[in-house]
Amino acid sequence: MAHAEIVVEVEGLSFEGWLDDASDIGAELLGGLPVTLVLSRWGDEYYGPCDLTEEPADEMTEVVQVGDLAYWPAGRALCIFFGPTPASHGDEPRAASAVEVIGHVDVDPASLRALPDRVTTRVAHR
């Protein structure tokens, strides 16, 4: 898996991470950086519209890890997972439906939980 280093800024907080530039969706997002998105909260997940045109890979999942960046094809949205969502069973982060994990960010779940339901998020090269 090839990784490109990124930084994700959410309401003044900054988190380092990577995008999988070997995935079509990851490469498309990487090629469009920097990008600013308005994300909404669903449990311990932020998600929001992201204008990507590539088709998701065959490897999709609903159960993800804290800090995973994923593309949600059903909502055409970028997602940042930082804990359980309303779809979770226990403490696992779980998407509403299948997502393609395209990266990871070293998030601080407690700091993200303190933020409002809608946040401005910037994803850029590191």
Side-chain angles (χ1 to χ4, degrees):
M1 183 181 300
H3 294 156
E5 295 182 356
I6 60 167
V7 62
V8 176
E9 298 169 352
V10 183
E11 296 293 321
L13 302 174
S14 183
F15 306 104
E16 294 183 353
W18 54 265
L19 279 176
D20 176 7
D21 59 1
S23 89
D24 291 344
I25 290 177
E28 182 181 2
L29 179 58
L30 189 65
L33 296 183
V35 63
T36 300
L37 307 166
V38 176
L39 305 181
S40 298
R41 189 166 170 181
W42 186 63
D44 283 356
E45 170 194 348
Y46 278 114
Y47 71 97
C50 188
D51 190 24
L52 299 175
T53 59
E54 290 292 335
E55 291 298 316
D58 293 334
E59 294 181 29
M60 304 262 289
T61 185
E62 290 180 9
V63 178
V64 296
Q65 301 296 314
V66 169
D68 278 352
L69 292 177
Y71 182 69
W72 180 40
R76 300 187 52 82
L78 182 68
C79 307
I80 303 171
F81 293 92
F82 56 99
T85 68
S88 294
H89 303 277
D91 291 335
E92 68 183 2
R94 181 181 284 265
S97 60
V99 296
E100 179 182 349
V101 175
I102 59 170
H104 191 85
V105 181
D106 295 325
V107 297
D108 173 5
S111 65
L112 289 177
R113 285 184 189 113
L115 296 178
D117 288 344
R118 290 178 58 86
V119 295
T120 300
T121 302
R122 184 175 188 267
V123 183
H125 295 277
R126 182 162 39 129

